[in-house]
Structures are given as C-alpha cells and as structure tokens.
Amino acid sequence: METNRSTTLVFGAVTLERHRLLSNEVRRFDTPQEIAVIGTAQGPTTLRSASDIWQLQPRAAVLLLACSDFELSSETGCTALIVRGPASLAEGLDLHREVEEPAFIPERSALIGPFSAFASQTLNSNRRSFTPLTSYYVERLLQEMFQGLLAELTLIEDIPVDANDSYTRAMITLAARYSDPSLTSAEIAQAANISRRQLEREFAKHGTTIRTELRKLRVREAQKMLADPEYSMLTVDQIARHLGFSNGSSLSRAMSDSGLGTPISLRPS
C-alpha cells in the first residue's frame, strides 16, 4: 500500500511502514498480537496508548510489546518508521519492564541503526524487484534482526548507563553486528568507549581476542542456518557471505578450526 504520505510493505508476518505526519495530525495504529519498533525523525512526536502518554525526541526509537493500539502525533510534523512482527519473536526473552509500557531503545544499541537502515532501504525499493523467493528471505532477515534487537535489549538492560565494563559493551556490539563483513575493531572500540589497544587488552584479560569471539559467533549462527531446512535453498557460499565470511571456503576453515564437521555434513538430508 502506498499513498503520498504513507508506504507499507508486507513480508509474511513482518510489516514495514513509513508515515509522514503533518503538523498537529493524529494517526491511530492497531497492533493486535504484535510487537512493534517505532522510530521517529524530524520533529518531536507524542506516543499515546490507552493508559499513558510518552514524548519521543527526533531519532528516538521505542519497542512496544503489548499495546493493542496506539496513536502518534506531532505539533510540527514528523516521519515515523514502524516495523511490526509476531509476538512469538519475543518468547523466552526477559525484558525487565512492564510489558504495557514502551521500551526506549538507547543510543548505545549497536543494532537499531542497521535495523532501521535496512527497513528504510527496503521501503525505498522498487516493489517489482521482490519475487516470492526474495520476499521470503527479506522476511527471515527482518525476523532475525528483530530477535537480535530484542536479545540485545535484554543485555543492555542489565548494564547501567554509566557502567565501565568495556568488554561487555564490546561483546554486545559483536553479538549485534557479527554478520557485518565491514565491522572493524575500531568501531567496536568506539562502541565500548575506549581505544582499540585498550579493547585488545580487555579481551586478552579474558583469554581471547576480538577475532576469536567474532568467529565463534559466526560459526555458531552458521551451524543453525546449515541445519535449518528453511535455508536449504541457500548455498554454503551464500550462507557464509550472509554471516560475514568472505566465501564458503572461509566458513569451512573456521568450522574445521572449531573442531566441527564440514558445512555440507550439517545440511539436512
């Protein structure tokens, strides 16, 4: 669905929406049995549920777990990006908050930026470019990013804003961005708010390295994808590149170094 001020794309159980609200316009949304991430741009925005009201600043992002409906409005006008997914994506996660209230996603989140960027890029894409197969994989990727963001929030909520645990901050960044082939140690250090050399010393104190932990995360996820029948249409090379490896051979070497079998041996028969 697309109007002059709204764009909506549906990929299976995940829905992407972008709405441009005019000054003093009120827009109502229903989210039955869904979770939603809402990001805002331009002017300050008011989020209203049946029980309370919250103020969102530009570039803020919030997570809704149990609001059956909500309203957005802005005195000066704003743009809202909304990503909705099934409530089942949050099963098993313990977010330390009342489910009826929005969880404000902090700026130190390593995944909200890539998540929002991918959603925006997808909304800007030509609808005709989405075949049934590409739509399926877009849905899977969005679901994985949704779950990654939710898992990241459970970790962040356990860390005080002024916590001086650089190693934990770095591990959160790795967990959120392990599939990014362009991720550098300098970016991880920046997220941990220390220098690259300090970060390397922090990892050494824990008996490991950034490269080792990054490889562990990628190999662990590769095991899941290779064994999942729903990814059987992807080649080993495609899975490897999706997870940040340069190619299938690089993934094979990483699995071998970890004492695992070959990627082919993990594929469902």
Short mmCIF file of all heavy atoms in Angstrom, two decimals, residues 70-128:
data_model
loop_
_atom_site.label_atom_id
_atom_site.label_comp_id
_atom_site.label_asym_id
_atom_site.label_seq_id
_atom_site.Cartn_x
_atom_site.Cartn_y
_atom_site.Cartn_z
N PHE A 70 -2.25 2.28 19.44
CA PHE A 70 -1.56 3.47 19.89
C PHE A 70 -1.79 4.59 18.88
O PHE A 70 -2.25 4.35 17.76
CB PHE A 70 -0.07 3.23 20.10
CG PHE A 70 0.67 2.85 18.85
CD1 PHE A 70 1.31 3.81 18.07
CD2 PHE A 70 0.75 1.52 18.44
CE1 PHE A 70 1.99 3.47 16.92
CE2 PHE A 70 1.44 1.16 17.29
CZ PHE A 70 2.06 2.14 16.52
N GLU A 71 -1.47 5.82 19.31
CA GLU A 71 -1.59 6.98 18.44
C GLU A 71 -0.25 7.72 18.38
O GLU A 71 0.49 7.76 19.36
CB GLU A 71 -2.66 7.95 18.97
CG GLU A 71 -4.07 7.44 18.86
CD GLU A 71 -5.07 8.44 19.38
OE1 GLU A 71 -4.65 9.48 19.96
OE2 GLU A 71 -6.29 8.20 19.22
N LEU A 72 0.03 8.29 17.22
CA LEU A 72 1.19 9.15 17.06
C LEU A 72 0.72 10.52 16.60
O LEU A 72 -0.20 10.63 15.78
CB LEU A 72 2.16 8.58 16.01
CG LEU A 72 2.91 7.30 16.36
CD1 LEU A 72 3.76 6.86 15.18
CD2 LEU A 72 3.78 7.49 17.60
N SER A 73 1.35 11.56 17.13
CA SER A 73 1.02 12.91 16.71
C SER A 73 2.25 13.79 16.90
O SER A 73 3.18 13.44 17.63
CB SER A 73 -0.16 13.48 17.51
OG SER A 73 0.17 13.53 18.89
N SER A 74 2.26 14.93 16.20
CA SER A 74 3.38 15.85 16.31
C SER A 74 2.89 17.26 16.02
O SER A 74 2.17 17.49 15.06
CB SER A 74 4.49 15.47 15.34
OG SER A 74 5.52 16.43 15.34
N GLU A 75 3.29 18.21 16.88
CA GLU A 75 2.88 19.59 16.66
C GLU A 75 3.54 20.18 15.42
O GLU A 75 2.96 21.05 14.77
CB GLU A 75 3.22 20.43 17.89
CG GLU A 75 2.41 20.09 19.12
CD GLU A 75 2.73 21.01 20.28
OE1 GLU A 75 3.61 21.88 20.11
OE2 GLU A 75 2.11 20.86 21.35
N THR A 76 4.74 19.72 15.11
CA THR A 76 5.49 20.30 13.99
C THR A 76 5.56 19.39 12.77
O THR A 76 6.10 19.79 11.74
CB THR A 76 6.92 20.61 14.43
OG1 THR A 76 7.56 19.40 14.88
CG2 THR A 76 6.93 21.62 15.57
N GLY A 77 5.01 18.17 12.88
CA GLY A 77 5.12 17.20 11.80
C GLY A 77 6.32 16.29 12.01
O GLY A 77 7.32 16.70 12.62
N CYS A 78 6.23 15.05 11.57
CA CYS A 78 7.32 14.10 11.76
C CYS A 78 7.19 12.97 10.75
O CYS A 78 6.20 12.86 10.02
CB CYS A 78 7.30 13.54 13.18
SG CYS A 78 5.92 12.39 13.49
N THR A 79 8.21 12.13 10.71
CA THR A 79 8.18 10.90 9.92
C THR A 79 8.36 9.73 10.87
O THR A 79 9.28 9.73 11.70
CB THR A 79 9.28 10.87 8.85
OG1 THR A 79 9.09 11.95 7.95
CG2 THR A 79 9.26 9.56 8.08
N ALA A 80 7.48 8.75 10.79
CA ALA A 80 7.55 7.59 11.67
C ALA A 80 7.83 6.32 10.86
O ALA A 80 7.19 6.07 9.84
CB ALA A 80 6.23 7.42 12.44
N LEU A 81 8.81 5.57 11.29
CA LEU A 81 9.13 4.27 10.71
C LEU A 81 8.68 3.20 11.69
O LEU A 81 9.09 3.21 12.86
CB LEU A 81 10.64 4.15 10.45
CG LEU A 81 11.14 2.79 9.94
CD1 LEU A 81 10.61 2.52 8.54
CD2 LEU A 81 12.66 2.75 9.96
N ILE A 82 7.81 2.31 11.24
CA ILE A 82 7.26 1.27 12.12
C ILE A 82 7.54 -0.10 11.52
O ILE A 82 7.25 -0.34 10.35
CB ILE A 82 5.74 1.46 12.31
CG1 ILE A 82 5.44 2.86 12.85
CG2 ILE A 82 5.18 0.39 13.25
CD1 ILE A 82 3.95 3.16 12.94
N VAL A 83 8.11 -0.97 12.34
CA VAL A 83 8.33 -2.36 11.93
C VAL A 83 7.55 -3.24 12.90
O VAL A 83 7.76 -3.20 14.11
CB VAL A 83 9.83 -2.74 11.98
CG1 VAL A 83 10.03 -4.15 11.44
CG2 VAL A 83 10.66 -1.75 11.18
N ARG A 84 6.65 -4.04 12.35
CA ARG A 84 5.81 -4.91 13.18
C ARG A 84 6.19 -6.36 12.94
O ARG A 84 6.49 -6.76 11.81
CB ARG A 84 4.33 -4.74 12.85
CG ARG A 84 3.79 -3.31 12.86
CD ARG A 84 2.41 -3.32 12.26
NE ARG A 84 1.83 -2.02 12.07
CZ ARG A 84 0.88 -1.50 12.83
NH1 ARG A 84 0.42 -2.19 13.85
NH2 ARG A 84 0.38 -0.32 12.57
N GLY A 85 6.14 -7.16 13.99
CA GLY A 85 6.41 -8.58 13.86
C GLY A 85 5.54 -9.38 14.81
O GLY A 85 4.92 -8.81 15.72
N PRO A 86 5.48 -10.70 14.64
CA PRO A 86 4.64 -11.52 15.52
C PRO A 86 5.17 -11.52 16.94
O PRO A 86 6.38 -11.46 17.17
CB PRO A 86 4.74 -12.91 14.88
CG PRO A 86 6.02 -12.89 14.12
CD PRO A 86 6.17 -11.48 13.61
N ALA A 87 4.25 -11.59 17.90
CA ALA A 87 4.63 -11.58 19.32
C ALA A 87 5.53 -12.76 19.66
O ALA A 87 6.30 -12.70 20.63
CB ALA A 87 3.38 -11.59 20.19
N SER A 88 5.46 -13.84 18.89
CA SER A 88 6.27 -15.03 19.17
C SER A 88 7.76 -14.74 19.11
O SER A 88 8.57 -15.47 19.69
CB SER A 88 5.92 -16.14 18.19
OG SER A 88 6.14 -15.72 16.85
N LEU A 89 8.17 -13.65 18.41
CA LEU A 89 9.59 -13.32 18.32
C LEU A 89 10.18 -12.96 19.68
O LEU A 89 11.39 -13.06 19.88
CB LEU A 89 9.80 -12.15 17.36
CG LEU A 89 9.50 -12.42 15.88
CD1 LEU A 89 9.62 -11.13 15.07
CD2 LEU A 89 10.45 -13.47 15.33
N ALA A 90 9.33 -12.53 20.62
CA ALA A 90 9.81 -12.12 21.94
C ALA A 90 9.71 -13.23 22.97
O ALA A 90 10.07 -13.02 24.13
CB ALA A 90 9.01 -10.91 22.42
N GLU A 91 9.27 -14.41 22.57
CA GLU A 91 9.12 -15.51 23.53
C GLU A 91 10.47 -15.92 24.09
O GLU A 91 11.46 -16.02 23.38
CB GLU A 91 8.44 -16.71 22.85
CG GLU A 91 6.98 -16.48 22.54
CD GLU A 91 6.34 -17.69 21.85
OE1 GLU A 91 7.08 -18.66 21.60
OE2 GLU A 91 5.13 -17.63 21.57
N GLY A 92 10.50 -16.15 25.39
CA GLY A 92 11.72 -16.61 26.05
C GLY A 92 12.67 -15.51 26.45
O GLY A 92 13.70 -15.78 27.07
N LEU A 93 12.35 -14.25 26.11
CA LEU A 93 13.22 -13.13 26.48
C LEU A 93 12.65 -12.43 27.70
O LEU A 93 11.44 -12.26 27.83
CB LEU A 93 13.34 -12.14 25.32
CG LEU A 93 14.03 -12.68 24.06
CD1 LEU A 93 13.96 -11.64 22.95
CD2 LEU A 93 15.46 -13.05 24.35
N ASP A 94 13.55 -12.01 28.59
CA ASP A 94 13.13 -11.37 29.83
C ASP A 94 13.53 -9.90 29.81
O ASP A 94 14.61 -9.53 30.26
CB ASP A 94 13.77 -12.08 31.03
CG ASP A 94 13.30 -11.50 32.36
OD1 ASP A 94 12.23 -10.87 32.37
OD2 ASP A 94 14.01 -11.68 33.37
N LEU A 95 12.65 -9.08 29.27
CA LEU A 95 12.88 -7.64 29.30
C LEU A 95 12.37 -7.10 30.63
O LEU A 95 11.22 -7.31 30.99
CB LEU A 95 12.15 -6.96 28.13
CG LEU A 95 12.77 -7.20 26.75
CD1 LEU A 95 11.82 -6.75 25.66
CD2 LEU A 95 14.09 -6.47 26.62
N HIS A 96 13.23 -6.42 31.37
CA HIS A 96 12.93 -6.03 32.74
C HIS A 96 12.08 -4.77 32.77
O HIS A 96 12.54 -3.69 33.12
CB HIS A 96 14.24 -5.81 33.51
CG HIS A 96 15.16 -6.98 33.43
ND1 HIS A 96 16.50 -6.91 33.73
CD2 HIS A 96 14.93 -8.27 33.08
CE1 HIS A 96 17.06 -8.08 33.57
NE2 HIS A 96 16.13 -8.93 33.17
N ARG A 97 10.81 -4.92 32.41
CA ARG A 97 9.93 -3.75 32.33
C ARG A 97 8.49 -4.23 32.28
O ARG A 97 8.23 -5.40 32.04
CB ARG A 97 10.22 -2.92 31.08
CG ARG A 97 10.33 -3.76 29.83
CD ARG A 97 10.61 -2.94 28.60
NE ARG A 97 9.43 -2.19 28.21
CZ ARG A 97 8.43 -2.71 27.49
NH1 ARG A 97 8.47 -3.97 27.09
NH2 ARG A 97 7.39 -1.98 27.18
N GLU A 98 7.56 -3.32 32.52
CA GLU A 98 6.15 -3.64 32.34
C GLU A 98 5.86 -3.74 30.85
O GLU A 98 6.21 -2.84 30.08
CB GLU A 98 5.27 -2.55 32.98
CG GLU A 98 5.43 -2.43 34.49
CD GLU A 98 4.94 -3.67 35.20
OE1 GLU A 98 3.97 -4.31 34.71
OE2 GLU A 98 5.52 -4.01 36.25
N VAL A 99 5.21 -4.83 30.44
CA VAL A 99 5.04 -5.06 29.01
C VAL A 99 4.12 -4.02 28.37
O VAL A 99 4.18 -3.80 27.16
CB VAL A 99 4.50 -6.48 28.74
CG1 VAL A 99 5.51 -7.51 29.16
CG2 VAL A 99 3.16 -6.71 29.46
N GLU A 100 3.29 -3.36 29.17
CA GLU A 100 2.38 -2.38 28.59
C GLU A 100 3.09 -1.07 28.24
O GLU A 100 2.54 -0.24 27.52
CB GLU A 100 1.22 -2.08 29.56
CG GLU A 100 0.30 -3.26 29.83
CD GLU A 100 0.84 -4.19 30.91
OE1 GLU A 100 1.92 -3.87 31.46
OE2 GLU A 100 0.22 -5.22 31.19
N GLU A 101 4.28 -0.87 28.76
CA GLU A 101 4.99 0.37 28.53
C GLU A 101 6.03 0.19 27.42
O GLU A 101 6.59 -0.89 27.24
CB GLU A 101 5.70 0.83 29.81
CG GLU A 101 4.76 1.16 30.96
CD GLU A 101 5.51 1.65 32.17
OE1 GLU A 101 6.76 1.70 32.11
OE2 GLU A 101 4.86 1.99 33.17
N PRO A 102 6.31 1.25 26.66
CA PRO A 102 7.33 1.14 25.61
C PRO A 102 8.73 1.07 26.21
O PRO A 102 9.01 1.68 27.24
CB PRO A 102 7.14 2.43 24.80
CG PRO A 102 6.57 3.39 25.77
CD PRO A 102 5.69 2.59 26.69
N ALA A 103 9.58 0.29 25.59
CA ALA A 103 10.99 0.24 25.98
C ALA A 103 11.74 1.21 25.08
O ALA A 103 11.76 1.02 23.86
CB ALA A 103 11.54 -1.18 25.84
N PHE A 104 12.34 2.24 25.66
CA PHE A 104 13.11 3.19 24.86
C PHE A 104 14.44 2.55 24.52
O PHE A 104 15.19 2.14 25.39
CB PHE A 104 13.29 4.50 25.63
CG PHE A 104 12.06 5.34 25.68
CD1 PHE A 104 11.02 5.04 26.55
CD2 PHE A 104 11.91 6.43 24.82
CE1 PHE A 104 9.87 5.81 26.59
CE2 PHE A 104 10.76 7.20 24.85
CZ PHE A 104 9.74 6.90 25.73
N ILE A 105 14.72 2.46 23.22
CA ILE A 105 15.95 1.81 22.77
C ILE A 105 17.08 2.82 22.89
O ILE A 105 17.06 3.86 22.23
CB ILE A 105 15.80 1.32 21.32
CG1 ILE A 105 14.63 0.33 21.24
CG2 ILE A 105 17.09 0.66 20.84
CD1 ILE A 105 14.27 -0.08 19.83
N PRO A 106 18.09 2.54 23.71
CA PRO A 106 19.15 3.53 23.95
C PRO A 106 20.05 3.75 22.74
O PRO A 106 20.16 2.88 21.87
CB PRO A 106 19.94 2.93 25.13
CG PRO A 106 19.69 1.46 25.02
CD PRO A 106 18.29 1.31 24.50
N GLU A 107 20.71 4.89 22.72
CA GLU A 107 21.60 5.22 21.61
C GLU A 107 22.76 4.23 21.53
O GLU A 107 23.34 4.02 20.46
CB GLU A 107 22.14 6.64 21.76
CG GLU A 107 21.08 7.71 21.57
CD GLU A 107 21.66 9.11 21.65
OE1 GLU A 107 22.91 9.21 21.83
OE2 GLU A 107 20.90 10.08 21.55
N ARG A 108 23.12 3.60 22.65
CA ARG A 108 24.25 2.66 22.63
C ARG A 108 23.88 1.32 22.01
O ARG A 108 24.71 0.42 21.95
CB ARG A 108 24.81 2.49 24.04
CG ARG A 108 23.79 2.05 25.07
CD ARG A 108 24.45 1.99 26.45
NE ARG A 108 23.44 1.83 27.49
CZ ARG A 108 23.63 1.14 28.60
NH1 ARG A 108 24.77 0.53 28.79
NH2 ARG A 108 22.69 1.06 29.50
N SER A 109 22.63 1.17 21.59
CA SER A 109 22.25 -0.04 20.87
C SER A 109 23.04 -0.13 19.58
O SER A 109 23.07 0.81 18.78
CB SER A 109 20.75 -0.02 20.54
OG SER A 109 20.44 -0.98 19.56
N ALA A 110 23.69 -1.26 19.36
CA ALA A 110 24.51 -1.43 18.16
C ALA A 110 23.69 -1.87 16.96
O ALA A 110 24.15 -1.79 15.82
CB ALA A 110 25.62 -2.46 18.43
N LEU A 111 22.45 -2.33 17.19
CA LEU A 111 21.68 -2.93 16.11
C LEU A 111 20.56 -2.05 15.59
O LEU A 111 20.10 -2.23 14.46
CB LEU A 111 21.09 -4.27 16.57
CG LEU A 111 20.55 -5.21 15.48
CD1 LEU A 111 21.61 -5.47 14.42
CD2 LEU A 111 20.07 -6.51 16.08
N ILE A 112 20.09 -1.06 16.37
CA ILE A 112 18.95 -0.28 15.92
C ILE A 112 19.28 0.49 14.65
O ILE A 112 18.43 0.64 13.75
CB ILE A 112 18.45 0.68 17.03
CG1 ILE A 112 17.15 1.38 16.59
CG2 ILE A 112 19.51 1.67 17.42
CD1 ILE A 112 16.01 0.44 16.29
N GLY A 113 20.52 0.97 14.51
CA GLY A 113 20.91 1.70 13.30
C GLY A 113 20.82 0.83 12.05
O GLY A 113 20.12 1.18 11.09
N PRO A 114 21.50 -0.34 12.02
CA PRO A 114 21.40 -1.22 10.86
C PRO A 114 19.97 -1.71 10.61
O PRO A 114 19.54 -1.85 9.47
CB PRO A 114 22.33 -2.38 11.22
CG PRO A 114 23.32 -1.79 12.16
CD PRO A 114 22.54 -0.78 12.96
N PHE A 115 19.22 -1.97 11.68
CA PHE A 115 17.84 -2.44 11.56
C PHE A 115 16.99 -1.38 10.87
O PHE A 115 16.26 -1.67 9.90
CB PHE A 115 17.31 -2.75 12.96
CG PHE A 115 15.92 -3.33 12.99
CD1 PHE A 115 15.57 -4.39 12.17
CD2 PHE A 115 14.96 -2.83 13.86
CE1 PHE A 115 14.29 -4.94 12.22
CE2 PHE A 115 13.69 -3.37 13.92
CZ PHE A 115 13.36 -4.43 13.09
N SER A 116 17.08 -0.14 11.33
CA SER A 116 16.31 0.96 10.73
C SER A 116 16.75 1.23 9.30
O SER A 116 15.92 1.48 8.42
CB SER A 116 16.46 2.23 11.58
OG SER A 116 15.98 2.03 12.89
N ALA A 117 18.06 1.17 9.07
CA ALA A 117 18.58 1.44 7.73
C ALA A 117 18.08 0.39 6.73
O ALA A 117 17.69 0.72 5.60
CB ALA A 117 20.10 1.47 7.74
N PHE A 118 18.08 -0.88 7.14
CA PHE A 118 17.61 -1.94 6.24
C PHE A 118 16.11 -1.77 5.97
O PHE A 118 15.65 -1.94 4.83
CB PHE A 118 17.88 -3.31 6.84
CG PHE A 118 17.43 -4.45 5.97
CD1 PHE A 118 18.12 -4.80 4.83
CD2 PHE A 118 16.28 -5.17 6.31
CE1 PHE A 118 17.68 -5.84 4.01
CE2 PHE A 118 15.84 -6.21 5.51
CZ PHE A 118 16.55 -6.55 4.36
N ALA A 119 15.33 -1.45 7.01
CA ALA A 119 13.90 -1.25 6.84
C ALA A 119 13.63 -0.08 5.89
O ALA A 119 12.78 -0.18 4.99
CB ALA A 119 13.23 -1.02 8.19
N SER A 120 14.35 1.01 6.06
CA SER A 120 14.16 2.18 5.20
C SER A 120 14.56 1.88 3.76
O SER A 120 13.86 2.26 2.81
CB SER A 120 14.99 3.36 5.73
OG SER A 120 14.53 3.78 6.99
N GLN A 121 15.69 1.19 3.60
CA GLN A 121 16.14 0.84 2.25
C GLN A 121 15.13 -0.06 1.55
O GLN A 121 14.87 0.09 0.35
CB GLN A 121 17.50 0.16 2.32
CG GLN A 121 18.08 -0.20 0.95
CD GLN A 121 19.44 -0.87 1.07
OE1 GLN A 121 19.93 -1.13 2.16
NE2 GLN A 121 20.05 -1.15 -0.06
N THR A 122 14.56 -0.99 2.30
CA THR A 122 13.56 -1.90 1.73
C THR A 122 12.32 -1.12 1.30
O THR A 122 11.76 -1.37 0.22
CB THR A 122 13.19 -2.99 2.74
OG1 THR A 122 14.37 -3.70 3.14
CG2 THR A 122 12.20 -3.98 2.14
N LEU A 123 11.88 -0.17 2.12
CA LEU A 123 10.72 0.64 1.78
C LEU A 123 10.97 1.50 0.55
O LEU A 123 10.04 1.83 -0.19
CB LEU A 123 10.34 1.53 2.96
CG LEU A 123 9.58 0.83 4.10
CD1 LEU A 123 9.60 1.69 5.35
CD2 LEU A 123 8.15 0.52 3.69
N ASN A 124 12.23 1.86 0.32
CA ASN A 124 12.57 2.67 -0.86
C ASN A 124 12.75 1.84 -2.12
O ASN A 124 12.89 2.40 -3.21
CB ASN A 124 13.88 3.44 -0.59
CG ASN A 124 13.69 4.54 0.43
OD1 ASN A 124 12.60 5.05 0.62
ND2 ASN A 124 14.77 4.90 1.10
N SER A 125 12.74 0.52 -1.99
CA SER A 125 13.00 -0.35 -3.13
C SER A 125 11.80 -0.41 -4.08
O SER A 125 10.66 -0.16 -3.68
CB SER A 125 13.34 -1.77 -2.66
OG SER A 125 14.47 -1.77 -1.82
N ASN A 126 12.07 -0.78 -5.30
CA ASN A 126 11.02 -0.99 -6.29
C ASN A 126 10.24 -2.26 -5.93
O ASN A 126 10.82 -3.34 -5.82
CB ASN A 126 11.64 -1.13 -7.69
CG ASN A 126 10.59 -1.16 -8.78
OD1 ASN A 126 9.45 -1.59 -8.57
ND2 ASN A 126 10.96 -0.70 -9.97
N ARG A 127 8.94 -2.13 -5.76
CA ARG A 127 8.12 -3.28 -5.38
C ARG A 127 8.27 -4.44 -6.35
O ARG A 127 8.17 -5.61 -5.97
CB ARG A 127 6.65 -2.88 -5.28
CG ARG A 127 6.33 -1.94 -4.13
CD ARG A 127 4.93 -1.40 -4.24
NE ARG A 127 4.61 -0.54 -3.13
CZ ARG A 127 4.04 -0.94 -2.00
NH1 ARG A 127 3.75 -2.21 -1.86
NH2 ARG A 127 3.79 -0.10 -1.03
N ARG A 128 8.48 -4.14 -7.62
CA ARG A 128 8.56 -5.20 -8.62
C ARG A 128 9.81 -6.05 -8.47
O ARG A 128 9.90 -7.12 -9.08
CB ARG A 128 8.52 -4.57 -10.02
CG ARG A 128 7.20 -3.86 -10.33
CD ARG A 128 7.21 -3.25 -11.72
NE ARG A 128 5.97 -2.54 -12.02
CZ ARG A 128 5.74 -1.87 -13.13
NH1 ARG A 128 6.71 -1.80 -14.05
NH2 ARG A 128 4.59 -1.27 -13.32
#
